[in-house]
């Protein structure tokens, strides 16, 4: 039993790293716009589908598919950022909800119309088995957690030490003062949105070999779980997002292993309800936000 629980915890941390990688982008977007991007899961889906196309149609290696998938998602996000997201600056919260839900429906149905609503097999990835602390897993899972740690370290450095990071922090704290001091708020929002969507796309591509299949509606559940993660970590808290994602992944893994796989997806909803009722500001201090 002890080795079984340890194996579930390791698998949960790896799964949680994926959630955190996606949620990092959403929480950064919330930080500068004060709006929840309900289309965030669709960029996860777009990156995965783009990588699948590169592999299937161009017969390219997986490493090329990663670059191609992120690039396609970034291109689409750049257009949406200019046409939609920058117009939400200073808009009511309801406007952001309606706009991003509309974008979600458009992107999801566009992919379904183009490729059908059925499941597609993702053939790329590094799926050779390895042993880590006595637990067998595919190499892809190791790549996931290494990339997640590297990304969060890079984000921490960016928001603390670079001009762009400082502008993101300034916009997240006071948009009016940024306008007065000559900061291009619209450009900051577009760049932050682009970074967030690229992280979502990267996460989808790295997770696809583990999930094996891709389909047009795969972003819906990811968006909901990501929302649970950013609420647990504290809205706008990048560091709290990593810890909250790993925590959610571990709990999901333990529930599916000890109780039943059918209860796994309910964990995020239970956690979200509990946080909203008991600690709506999240598990971590507001002071740690950027």
């Amino acid at each position: 039993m002890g080795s079984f629980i340890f194996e579930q915890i390791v698998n949960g941390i790896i799964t949680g790293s994926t959630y955190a990688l996606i949620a990092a982008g959403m929480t950064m977007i919330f930080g500068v716009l004060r709006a929840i991007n309900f289309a965030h899961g669709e960029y996860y889906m777009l990156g995965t589908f783009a990588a699948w196309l590169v592999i299937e149609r161009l017969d390219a290696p997986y490493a090329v598919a990663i670059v191609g998938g992120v690039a396609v998602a970034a291109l689409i996000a750049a257009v949406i950022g200019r046409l939609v997201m920058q117009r939400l600056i200073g808009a009511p919260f309801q406007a952001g909800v309606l706009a991003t839900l509309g974008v979600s429906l458009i992107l999801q149905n566009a992919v379904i119309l183009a490729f059908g609503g059925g499941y597609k097999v993702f053939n790329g990835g590094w799926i050779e088995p390895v042993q880590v602390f006595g637990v067998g897993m595919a190499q892809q899972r190791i790549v996931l957690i290494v990339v997640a740690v590297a990304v969060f370290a890079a984000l921490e450095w960016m928001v603390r030490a670079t001009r762009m990071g400082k502008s993101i922090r300034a916009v997240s704290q006071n948009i009016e003062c940024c306008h007065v001091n000559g900061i291009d708020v619209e450009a900051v929002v577009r760049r932050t949105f682009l970074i967030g969507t690229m992280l979502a796309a990267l996460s989808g591509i790295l997770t696809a070999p583990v999930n094996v299949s891709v389909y047009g509606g795969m972003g819906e559940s990811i968006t909901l779980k990501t929302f649970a993660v950013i609420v647990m970590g504290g809205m706008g808290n990048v560091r709290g997002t990593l810890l909250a994602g790993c925590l959610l992944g571990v709990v999901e893994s333990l529930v599916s292993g000890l109780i039943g796989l059918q209860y796994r997806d309910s964990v995020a909803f239970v956690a979200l309800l509990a946080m909203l009722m008991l600690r709506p500001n999240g598990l971590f201090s507001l002071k740690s936000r950027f």
Side-chain angles (χ1 to χ4, degrees):
M1 178 60 72
S3 61
F4 173 78
I5 292 177
F6 177 72
E7 182 177 351
Q8 295 302 313
I9 291 174
V10 172
N11 289 331
I13 291 173
I14 296 170
T15 302
S17 300
T18 305
Y19 294 158
L21 193 59
I22 307 168
M26 183 184 278
T27 199
M28 289 178 67
I29 294 168
F30 175 84
V32 296
L33 273 178
R34 292 296 184 268
I36 299 295
N37 180 20
F38 284 98
H40 202 66
E42 269 49 66
Y43 301 103
Y44 171 94
M45 177 268 295
L46 284 173
T48 308
F49 257 97
W52 173 79
L53 275 175
V54 170
I55 293 172
E56 294 295 321
R57 304 293 169 85
L58 303 179
D59 196 28
Y62 179 61
V64 174
I66 294 174
V67 177
V70 173
V72 170
L75 180 62
I76 295 172
V79 175
I80 294 174
R82 183 170 290 274
L83 295 179
V84 179
M85 302 306 292
Q86 74 175 31
R87 300 176 186 273
L88 298 178
I89 298 172
F93 181 81
Q94 297 89 332
V97 171
L98 293 175
T100 55
L101 280 175
V103 171
S104 172
L105 290 173
I106 291 170
L107 294 177
Q108 184 180 140
N109 285 281
V111 169
I112 292 174
L113 285 173
F115 304 106
Y119 288 76
K120 312 290 188 296
V121 177
F122 194 94
N123 292 313
W126 302 294
I127 56 175
E128 293 77 12
V130 293
Q131 290 284 327
V132 179
F133 301 116
V135 179
M137 63 184 68
Q139 290 179 2
Q140 191 73 31
R141 293 181 175 271
I142 307 300
V143 172
L144 268 170
I145 194 167
V146 170
V147 169
V149 172
V151 165
F152 273 87
L155 286 177
E156 182 70 16
W157 171 79
M158 183 196 73
V159 298
R160 298 293 170 188
T162 68
R163 183 180 181 86
M164 180 178 174
K166 292 175 182 178
S167 65
I168 291 174
R169 291 167 60 192
V171 172
S172 71
Q173 292 170 11
N174 196 313
I175 290 179
E176 289 77 14
C177 285
C178 290
H179 283 301
V180 171
N181 286 279
I183 296 176
D184 189 343
V185 175
E186 291 184 352
V188 172
V189 168
R190 289 197 303 269
R191 292 167 188 164
T192 305
F193 178 69
L194 188 61
I195 293 172
T197 53
M198 289 174 68
L199 290 178
L202 177 62
S203 179
I205 299 168
L206 294 179
T207 310
V210 178
N211 295 335
V212 180
S213 60
V214 296
Y215 60 99
M218 64 189 294
E220 291 181 350
S221 62
I222 289 295
T223 299
L224 294 173
K225 288 188 178 183
T226 302
F227 185 53
V229 169
I230 67 171
V231 170
M232 291 171 62
M235 304 289 275
N237 186 335
V238 175
R239 282 172 281 179
T241 298
L242 176 60
L243 298 175
C246 291
L247 178 60
L248 178 62
V250 169
V251 175
E252 278 191 352
S253 183
L254 290 173
V255 168
S256 60
L258 298 175
I259 301 177
L261 188 61
Q262 66 271 28
Y263 299 105
R264 175 177 177 173
D265 289 338
S266 64
V267 172
F269 298 100
V270 173
L272 178 58
L273 290 173
M275 290 303 303
L276 290 174
M277 290 188 296
L278 301 176
R279 196 176 172 86
N281 288 328
L283 295 173
F284 304 99
S285 171
L286 296 175
K287 294 180 181 178
S288 62
R289 302 184 187 185
F290 63 80

